[in-house]
Amino acid sequence: MKQTRLIIAGGFLGAGKTTLIWDVAQRLMAKGLRIGLITNDQAPELVDSRLLRQANLQVKEVAGSCFCCNFDGFTNAIKSLRKEVEADVILAEPVGSCADLTATIVRPLKKYLDTEVIVSPLTGLSDPMRLKSIIYGGDGGLHEDAAYIYRKQLEESEVILITKTDLLTEAELEKLKKDTQTCFPHTTVMTASVQNGIGVTEWLNEVANRQGSGKKILDIDYDKYAHGEAVLGWLNGTVAVTSSTPAYWDTLLKDIMNGLAKAVKKEKLRVGHIKVIAENGPQYAVGNITGDAATLQLRGTAGTGENLKLIVNARVETTPEHLNELVKDVLATAIDDQYDNEILAWRFLQPGRPNPTHRIV
């Protein structure tokens, strides 16, 4: 079998990784290429995986730890997609709080799977609002050790892709790109907006054709890195909702997202991201919060029906126990008085210390 091109789209929580790889997968399939996707999280029941599968994409999920700490799981997913899909291109989305990917993922892949995959230059996606704060000396609305992870992700990226550029004026974007390039002079800085389609093709051409990945090795403090992940509580949950009469499910999703936005604002909690997908068969809607309440976005439609599946992923700077209480309280307020519901899966946790399978420097 010929080699498969592997494109790793990293970047911090809320940077737009899933939105980008969904769009890129559609573009590549339109050219007749066979595509596979790999998602990653500290726990199962991942919104990103469900969102991609709703588009009939071939998705493997590596859950329970990051790619670097479960390298065998990652390589097994690659091998499965090569065998089952005969993938020409695999798009991989690592956990948003992961760094040191060159030493723990890219170089080990080049050593152990060199005959099977061609690894593209490592891309770090960056939300423009957080990026602005970080490169001008701020914390991006994060704990200082979480902001440390963000900076390290930028530092090791061979391509920095500034996303969501439709949120900026042309002048603002040009200045941000120039200043980012100044901060990271040995990195290719690019810009893209999936919303308006600008810049995506240019980025894809860059990473799909460029050789020579794996050259930027981080000097990273693993104690600080581990604490930066541990300050966030993580929650993944799945809930079945039923109605005795047809319900317009977009209203429920809106109520849940507004409730979550108000709750984190009231308690002044810093948000990595909060994602909720509402699935009504093939119809679905997604809610996102990537910072303060002003970042709340809703897209798609779950339509009308009597049965709904909700998947909630939350990464918030608080204890897992408190995050559990907060999310359950919001869901109870939005759901309990109107609909029957059943928890199908529920897990809240604090990530453990990163312990990479390999680290090649």
Side-chain angles (χ1 to χ4, degrees), residues 160-294:
I160 293 174
L161 183 67
I162 303 172
T163 57
K164 308 177 187 179
T165 57
D166 49 285
L167 301 176
L168 303 176
T169 67
E170 187 174 335
E172 288 173 333
L173 178 58
E174 187 59 34
K175 175 174 171 49
L176 181 58
K177 182 180 179 182
K178 180 180 178 181
D179 291 345
T180 303
Q181 189 69 76
T182 299
C183 288
F184 304 98
H186 303 296
T187 300
T188 301
V189 179
M190 305 185 74
T191 63
S193 168
V194 174
Q195 184 72 22
N196 59 31
I198 296 175
V200 177
T201 297
E202 289 79 1
W203 170 76
L204 182 56
N205 288 339
E206 176 74 14
V207 297
N209 296 294
R210 197 166 123 187
Q211 305 293 328
S213 60
K215 296 179 180 178
K216 300 179 75 173
I217 299 297
L218 284 178
D219 178 11
I220 185 167
D221 181 339
Y222 261 73
D223 289 334
K224 198 165 189 176
Y225 172 16
H227 188 251
E229 284 200 300
V231 296
L232 295 171
W234 295 56
L235 182 147
N236 285 9
T238 302
V239 181
V241 182
T242 56
S243 174
S244 58
T245 58
Y248 183 56
W249 295 124
D250 293 355
T251 299
L252 176 60
L253 178 62
K254 185 177 180 180
D255 289 344
I256 291 170
M257 296 308 300
N258 282 329
L260 291 168
K262 289 176 182 177
V264 295
K265 181 179 180 180
K266 180 181 178 181
E267 298 193 27
K268 299 180 180 179
L269 299 177
R270 294 177 172 184
V271 175
H273 77 227
I274 300 173
K275 297 182 181 181
V276 181
I277 184 169
E279 294 183 298
N280 173 24
Q283 295 182 285
Y284 65 95
V286 181
N288 284 281
I289 301 171
T290 57
D292 61 25

Side-chain angles (χ1 to χ4, degrees), residues 299-354:
R299 58 192 173 92
T301 180
T304 301
E306 297 177 0
N307 297 282
L308 186 73
K309 185 178 183 181
L310 289 169
I311 300 178
V312 182
N313 295 167
R315 320 290 182 244
V316 179
E317 190 181 314
T318 186
T319 66
E321 294 76 16
H322 182 58
L323 180 59
N324 173 56
E325 293 175 2
L326 183 150
V327 173
K328 281 191 170 179
D329 285 348
V330 169
L331 290 178
T333 299
I335 296 174
D336 280 358
D337 291 341
Q338 303 179 68
Y339 312 109
D340 293 325
N341 66 92
E342 177 186 2
I343 292 178
L344 303 179
W346 198 268
R347 188 177 181 192
F348 52 97
L349 58 95
Q350 185 178 64
R353 182 183 176 84

Side-chain angles (χ1 to χ4, degrees), residues 67-98:
F67 288 154
C68 59
C69 298
N70 187 6
F71 186 76
D72 290 344
F74 184 40
T75 55
N76 286 340
I78 292 171
K79 291 174 181 179
S80 292
L81 289 170
R82 279 174 50 79
K83 181 180 179 180
E84 296 169 15
V85 186
E86 297 184 2
D88 299 300
V89 180
I90 294 174
L91 301 164
E93 176 189 346
V95 172
S97 58
C98 275

